[in-house]
Amino acid sequence: MVDYFWSTIWPWIIWTPILKTIQSLAFIVPLLILIAYIIYADRKIWAAVQLRRGPNVVGPWGLLQSFADMAKFLFKEPIIPSGSNKVLFLLAPLIAAFVTIAVWAVIPIGSGWPAAEGTSWVVANINVGILYVLAISSLEVYAIIIGGWASNSKYPFLSALRSAGQMISYEVSIGFVIVTVLLLVGSLNMTDIVLAQQTGLANWLGVPSLTILNWFWLPLFPMFIVFFISALAETNRPPFDLPEAESELVAGFMVEYSSSLYMLFMLGEYLAVTFMCAMITILFLGGWLPPADIAIFNWIPGIFWFMAKLWMVFFMFAMVKAFVPRYRYDQLMRLGWKVFLPLSLFMVVAVASVLHFFDLAP
Amino acid sequence: MGIADLFFYLFSALTIGSAVMVISARNPVHAVLFLILAFINAAGLFLLLGAEFLAMLLIIVYVGAVAVLFLFVVMMLDVDFAELRAGYMKYFPVGATIGFIVLAELMALFGAWKLEGGISVTPKAPIPDIATLTNTEAIGRVLYTDYIFYFEAVGIILLTAMVGAIVLTFRQNDKAKRQNIADQVARTPQTSIKIKKVETGKGI
């Protein structure tokens, strides 16, 4: 009995859950603080483009604004419409927040120790990392559909229908772009995707110290742009924020939501946006790898490079929000199905052919 | 009893429970949501078997795409429940017969499988060792070599279904305004704006 305790119960029922809980908390708490500053940065950048000041009252330079907002949302009264389907109405924001946090489990944020063994800082280093990402992020659409339907109101419902169409359309092109990257990597593991960008075009061109050329953004350049635009559409960011187009649908699927339920939706939205920045960083910008093979750069921990790239991509997200006007729904559908889908499908065939006929496949 | 057994019973109980709710829920939207719960728990069962690729694919394809369309249709349809319930007793014998046949077939299959000594005795293709090959690669190796014709046949069947659906629903509408994107992009200030000097008190 004692043996059974030490061989089965202790490692599998007690120790592993405790360890994984600590690991997850150590990941999720900094992640949520990062989200607070992503929201702050989004507002500041948008304000700067429009020659406004943005949040500047709470804390120095308004740095604590997001926390003040959070406290405000938490202490407001949640209003649940009497005509709504209460269970589903409460479920929708929970799905939005839960799914967008869960998907971060497979994101590697820094090189492992020792670095050579193909390890990384990641909560769950699973074989099918990319498929996990696609699977979990395909659940995000349910938060919007259920939220829109359960509100029992016209604007949220119209918004939910728009959103379902939009997210499904752009998942297709995102899938194909990821396939082109996977063709170059030969593995579905997120850590392997980053490590595959250690060698590549720079060595081939004869400038091995310029490791920035090794990353997949250069050999797969059109796909980098396609993925960026699809990521905007997938996360309902402007110029594709049709589900919550405030000039037509008031606030889209969130019209009936208030207080902490609304906050969960916003949290889910910004988590998804930041997640897409992290995906672009991993797939196209070499994850935690330094941009040049210089001693000082190699000493800096990988997490710094990862965050620097993530913030750079997010800056582009924020700038697009600030200066691109919103698309009309038919233009959005045309872009997804008639431009991106054929282009990414062609690139899958082209990349596969090049790898096959020049014998470069990993 | 190990941890895997515990999770097996959890996932299978939830799968069966939500499958029962799919056919007994009064609201069709709830039924579809229970169907999604059943899919997710079935994916959990796949994971316990070590079939991670199939588990993820089940969620991506069925939960992420097929069930969304179900939900879409069910939400848009104006379903009259009283009318649906009216034919319940009439169709019950047919439904029960089909259900019984499927159950009998499953039991026969399970019995034969047990008597043969499990699938590992008579596999149609050699089963690769899970330690040497990830199951994504293992499936790819048989799917695109031994079963390539079946695979392509499935693709053509799906294409036919898609063409059929488009032909059935597509209506040419000459009155609808359409935008030619190339024309829009090719517009210049010279072709779209005419600047005129307007003399005071005259108008154009």
Side-chain angles (χ1 to χ4, degrees):
Chain A
M1 193 60 208
V2 174
D3 282 349
Y4 182 70
F5 176 81
W6 286 111
S7 66
T8 310
I9 295 183
W10 171 254
W12 293 112
I13 299 185
I14 302 174
W15 179 239
T16 311
I18 291 177
L19 187 72
K20 283 291 163 190
T21 310
I22 294 172
Q23 270 186 0
S24 307
L25 282 180
F27 193 90
I28 290 172
V29 172
L31 176 65
L32 293 180
I33 295 173
L34 171 73
I35 296 299
Y37 285 100
I38 285 275
I39 295 175
Y40 170 76
D42 197 22
R43 297 174 66 177
K44 271 291 192 190
I45 293 167
W46 201 10
V49 171
Q50 299 175 344
L51 300 179
R52 289 184 290 117
R53 284 193 171 191
N56 62 350
V57 175
V58 188
W61 305 291
L63 278 172
L64 301 175
Q65 180 69 45
S66 301
F67 300 99
D69 285 345
M70 191 189 78
K72 191 181 80 175
F73 280 130
L74 282 179
F75 291 117
K76 268 188 175 177
E77 181 195 358
I79 297 167
I80 301 174
S82 58
S84 68
N85 187 323
K86 291 194 183 51
V87 177
L88 293 182
F89 188 80
L90 294 174
L91 186 68
L94 289 176
I95 294 178
F98 171 78
V99 163
T100 42
I101 290 178
V103 77
W104 279 87
V106 293
I107 292 290
I109 51 170
S111 59
W113 188 267
E117 285 179 16
T119 55
S120 61
W121 287 3
V122 55
V123 178
N125 191 9
I126 57 177
N127 279 336
V128 287
I130 278 282
L131 290 178
Y132 173 84
V133 166
L134 288 175
I136 300 295
S137 52
S138 69
L139 299 180
E140 279 168 27
V141 68
Y142 284 108
I144 295 178
I145 299 187
I146 294 175
W149 184 79
S151 300
N152 195 12
S153 166
K154 287 193 183 64
Y155 284 147
F157 187 58
L158 284 175
S159 157
L161 294 183
R162 279 187 176 189
S163 175
Q166 174 176 344
M167 290 174 89
I168 298 260
S169 308
Y170 280 85
E171 247 164 44
V172 177
S173 59
I174 282 189
F176 277 121
V177 173
I178 289 177
V179 169
T180 56
V181 173
L182 296 181
L183 283 172
L184 296 186
V185 177
S187 165
L188 295 170
N189 185 309
M190 302 289 269
T191 307
D192 288 348
I193 292 174
V194 175
L195 293 177
Q197 301 179 51
Q198 280 175 324
T199 57
L201 216 56
N203 302 43
W204 196 60
L205 293 172
V207 278
S209 60
L210 267 179
T211 48
I212 190 168
L213 300 178
N214 281 332
W215 305 343
F216 290 148
W217 65 272
L218 191 57
L220 295 175
F221 186 72
M223 292 296 98
F224 177 48
I225 303 296
V226 169
F227 192 87
F228 181 79
I229 299 174
S230 301
L232 290 175
E234 183 70 15
T235 53
N236 297 333
R237 284 284 291 187
F240 306 112
D241 60 340
L242 291 150
E244 52 200 276
E246 67 277 336
S247 51
E248 307 153 26
L249 295 177
V250 193
F253 56 94
M254 294 193 252
V255 171
E256 307 290 347
Y257 282 91
S258 56
S259 90
S260 44
L261 300 175
Y262 175 80
M263 189 186 71
L264 286 177
F265 262 128
M266 284 307 280
L267 179 70
E269 192 173 317
Y270 274 92
L271 273 165
V273 169
T274 316
F275 176 76
M276 276 299 172
C277 298
M279 279 297 282
I280 292 175
T281 305
I282 287 169
L283 292 176
F284 294 102
L285 299 176
W288 64 81
L289 301 173
D293 192 13
I294 303 170
I296 301 174
F297 281 9
N298 291 333
W299 291 335
I300 295 173
I303 177 96
F304 171 81
W305 293 117
F306 183 84
M307 293 308 292
K309 291 169 191 173
L310 189 148
W311 276 100
M312 201 186 74
V313 177
F314 182 75
F315 179 73
M316 288 309 298
F317 268 66
M319 288 303 275
V320 169
K321 176 178 181 172
F323 58 58
V324 182
R326 183 180 297 135
Y327 266 54
R328 217 172 48 212
Y329 198 70
D330 63 315
Q331 292 170 333
L332 173 88
M333 284 294 157
R334 176 186 168 272
L335 187 68
W337 290 105
K338 290 188 177 174
V339 180
F340 284 173
L341 184 61
L343 180 65
S344 51
L345 201 54
F346 169 75
M347 278 297 282
V348 170
V349 177
V351 170
S353 311
V354 168
L355 290 177
H356 182 73
F357 290 114
F358 291 91
D359 211 14
L360 295 166
Chain B
M1 195 172 79
I3 274 290
D5 294 336
L6 207 67
F7 274 98
F8 171 76
Y9 287 117
L10 178 73
F11 285 139
S12 26
L14 279 172
T15 309
I16 294 171
S18 46
V20 169
M21 287 306 290
V22 173
I23 50 172
S24 61
R26 283 173 180 272
N27 188 330
V29 172
H30 292 179
V32 176
L33 292 175
F34 277 114
L35 182 67
I36 292 161
L37 189 62
F39 282 148
I40 291 176
N41 283 295
L45 288 174
F46 270 131
L47 275 184
L48 287 181
L49 290 171
E52 64 221 14
F53 182 72
L54 286 179
M56 294 302 156
L57 230 54
L58 183 70
I59 295 186
I60 294 172
V61 175
Y62 285 94
V63 179
V66 175
V68 173
L69 293 181
F70 274 7
L71 204 58
F72 218 82
V73 171
V74 164
M75 282 177 178
M76 302 273 275
L77 283 181
D78 187 19
V79 186
D80 185 359
F81 298 110
E83 199 181 328
L84 279 180
R85 303 247 160 216
Y88 182 72
M89 282 318 287
K90 202 171 79 182
Y91 294 115
F92 181 75
V94 183
T97 314
I98 293 174
F100 183 75
I101 291 172
V102 172
L103 183 69
E105 279 178 348
L106 277 177
M107 283 167 75
L109 195 68
F110 185 71
W113 180 62
K114 270 290 182 202
L115 286 177
E116 287 280 322
I119 199 165
S120 57
V121 181
T122 52
K124 289 278 178 274
I127 297 174
D129 184 9
I130 202 161
T132 58
L133 209 59
T134 63
N135 56 60
T136 315
E137 205 175 338
I139 288 176
R141 284 195 179 173
V142 289
L143 192 61
Y144 296 110
T145 52
D146 299 351
Y147 299 111
I148 183 69
F149 291 116
Y150 302 103
F151 180 73
E152 295 200 334
V154 168
I156 290 172
I157 290 170
L158 283 175
L159 180 70
T160 318
M162 194 180 84
V163 171
I166 292 173
V167 168
L168 284 176
T169 54
F170 182 71
R171 288 189 189 84
Q172 189 76 46
N173 187 353
D174 295 328
K175 283 173 189 162
K177 284 188 179 175
R178 288 187 193 283
Q179 193 177 28
N180 188 341
I181 300 290
D183 286 352
Q184 293 288 313
V185 173
R187 267 162 59 116
T188 58
Q190 284 74 38
T191 59
S192 45
I193 302 174
K194 197 183 274 180
I195 297 175
K196 289 201 171 180
K197 263 218 149 38
V198 184
E199 285 176 40
T200 317
K202 283 192 176 172
I204 301 169

